[in-house]
Amino acid sequence: MPAGLQLSLLYKIMGRLGELREESFDFLRNSDLYNLVPEYVQQNGEQKALQLLNRHLIHLSERGYVRLGPPTSEGFRAIWLTADGEMFLQPELAEFGQRPRSSGVGFEKQSKKIKALPQSAYRQIATLRCGPQNGKPQ
């Protein structure tokens, strides 16, 4: 493998993290990613493979897709997907929060407008709804 970062490995890592998130509620481990580079593991050993994976994971961390725990002396580390990582895996999540789905949000906005009405407007509303008898129902 070349010395630089590999775009294909970055995509493979994100895809694998997406698969593994269904199995683990807590965190994932970088050693869970060995199967993405089996030839590299055979030729160079697990320690070198961890170094390779960690370089790519650090890049994903700096881009905001994952959060990494501190490495152990052996090079193992925990991995958590961030909100940006989840959106990378499920682009439709980017729409979440963009528009309100219920009228409840619109109601709050309208109630603020109503609270800002002058007192005379309340009397007019009461007269229209209840009739001219001092705002009491007919």
Side-chain angles (χ1 to χ4, degrees):
M1 288 192 168
L5 296 177
Q6 294 183 352
L7 186 60
S8 63
L9 184 53
L10 292 170
Y11 281 116
K12 287 178 186 178
I13 289 171
M14 289 301 293
R16 184 71 179 131
L17 293 176
E19 294 168 3
L20 292 172
R21 70 184 167 177
E22 302 300 322
E23 300 171 17
S24 174
F25 294 106
D26 239 358
F27 62 89
L28 306 166
R29 297 174 305 271
N30 55 355
S31 57
D32 293 329
L33 305 174
Y34 283 143
N35 63 341
L36 299 178
V37 290
E39 292 173 13
Y40 194 86
V41 172
Q42 282 181 338
Q43 293 173 0
N44 301 288
E46 289 182 353
Q47 192 62 36
K48 288 279 189 188
L50 274 179
Q51 290 172 357
L52 174 72
L53 291 167
N54 280 335
R55 286 186 57 234
H56 286 75
L57 287 166
I58 289 168
H59 178 78
L60 291 171
S61 174
E62 290 173 351
R63 299 285 304 268
Y65 295 116
V66 298
R67 187 169 56 90
L68 300 174
T72 65
S73 59
E74 296 87 19
F76 297 109
R77 59 189 335 157
I79 309 164
W80 295 269
L81 280 170
T82 64
D84 284 342
E86 292 283 355
M87 284 189 289
F88 177 86
L89 295 169
Q90 287 182 263
E92 66 274 11
L93 292 176
E95 296 175 18
F96 181 76
Q98 297 297 321
R99 317 177 247 141
R101 293 188 66 106
S102 70
S103 61
V105 175
F107 174 77
E108 289 179 32
K109 194 173 186 180
Q110 292 300 321
S111 68
K112 287 180 183 177
K113 287 182 183 178
I114 291 171
K115 289 177 184 174
L117 289 174
Q119 242 354 56
S120 60
Y122 287 114
R123 281 189 222 106
Q124 289 175 349
I125 291 170
T127 301
L128 290 173
R129 293 175 107 188
C130 303
Q133 299 174 350
N134 297 327
K136 295 180 182 172
Q138 296 179 351

